[in-house]
Amino acid sequence: LGASVQGYQLYIVGESGRLEPVCEEIQWRSTTKLSCFINRCLDARGLAREPPVKLRLGDLLMEVPLEKRISLPKPALTSISPLKEVNDVGTTTFLILGERFGLAILNDAETLETACAAWKADGALGNDAVQMFTKAATVTIGSAVCNVTFQNNSHLNCTTTTALRPSRMDIQSGELLAKPLKVAPAALKMVL
């Protein structure tokens, strides 16, 4: 290929042009085919759902990224509790269940390497498993921010400490003054 440096890599292009390596290993199969063995730990912080990619062949790196060549798994929400009525003031802890939330790196001091090592040490590593590491989800319930205290692939715990709806919001049909707010999935907004 004319490259003076050997090796190949496929990168996902993240925020501010950050290049996140996709392949733990790439094997050359032929002049037209490479096999990529995916990294088991993927730093998905700041990545779009369909991020652009770049290929490096030796010392040659694509200048213009390829669009819509890879899709990251989209999280799916299955339930939220409590789903009934909660006080619209005070502290309320919610449990949100779903799939593909990603493991959160909750503090700035933790690196992908330490988070990945902890994940592997916990025995969560399955056959051909790939784990996405994300920043903590941003969750609002009604008009309140729900502070994330725990997040893994299928569970998210968060706590609200402010009013779930504006103080001057009209009483809804069938509600009495100071009646708790009914929490419905539509009241939840979650950004991963």
Side-chain angles (χ1 to χ4, degrees):
L1 296 173
S4 61
V5 177
Q6 295 302 310
Y8 311 96
Q9 187 53 269
L10 179 66
Y11 297 101
I12 294 176
V13 182
E15 292 176 323
S16 304
R18 175 179 65 97
L19 298 177
E20 179 63 30
V22 175
C23 307
E24 189 170 307
E25 177 185 354
I26 295 182
Q27 290 181 354
W28 182 85
R29 300 288 184 199
S30 71
T31 56
T32 59
K33 186 176 180 181
L34 299 171
S35 292
C36 170
F37 298 89
I38 305 293
N39 273 326
R40 291 189 176 236
C41 296
L42 179 64
D43 188 351
R45 293 175 289 180
L47 296 181
R49 287 282 164 234
E50 292 187 331
V53 296
K54 285 187 174 186
L55 182 62
R56 179 178 58 79
L57 303 171
D59 60 349
L60 306 172
L61 180 66
M62 296 176 70
E63 289 184 23
V64 179
L66 299 171
E67 301 290 335
K68 298 191 185 279
R69 303 294 176 151
I70 192 169
S71 294
L72 299 179
K74 186 176 180 179
L77 177 70
T78 55
S79 70
I80 178 174
S81 63
L83 188 56
K84 299 177 184 175
E85 297 176 342
V86 296
N87 293 323
D88 71 344
V89 294
T91 300
T92 305
T93 298
F94 292 89
L95 171 62
I96 301 167
L97 301 178
E99 299 174 337
R100 300 178 297 277
F101 292 164
L103 290 181
I105 297 177
L106 294 175
N107 64 61
D108 293 334
E110 187 174 23
T111 65
L112 174 67
E113 290 76 21
T114 57
C116 183
W119 171 66
K120 289 177 180 178
D122 283 345
L125 190 62
N127 292 337
D128 300 321
V130 175
Q131 179 58 58
M132 287 190 0
F133 290 85
T134 63
K135 55 187 173 187
T138 302
V139 179
T140 57
I141 297 178
S143 60
V145 171
C146 199
N147 298 307
V148 175
T149 56
F150 175 80
Q151 176 183 330
N152 68 18
N153 281 322
S154 59
H155 291 71
L156 187 145
N157 292 344
C158 66
T159 303
T160 59
T161 57
T162 59
L164 299 179
R165 60 181 171 184
S167 59
R168 299 199 182 268
M169 183 177 177
D170 291 337
I171 301 297
Q172 302 300 309
S173 175
E175 288 184 337
L176 302 172
L177 188 61
K179 183 172 180 175
L181 177 70
K182 291 182 180 179
V183 176
L188 172 75
K189 291 180 185 162
M190 187 165 78
V191 177
L192 293 167

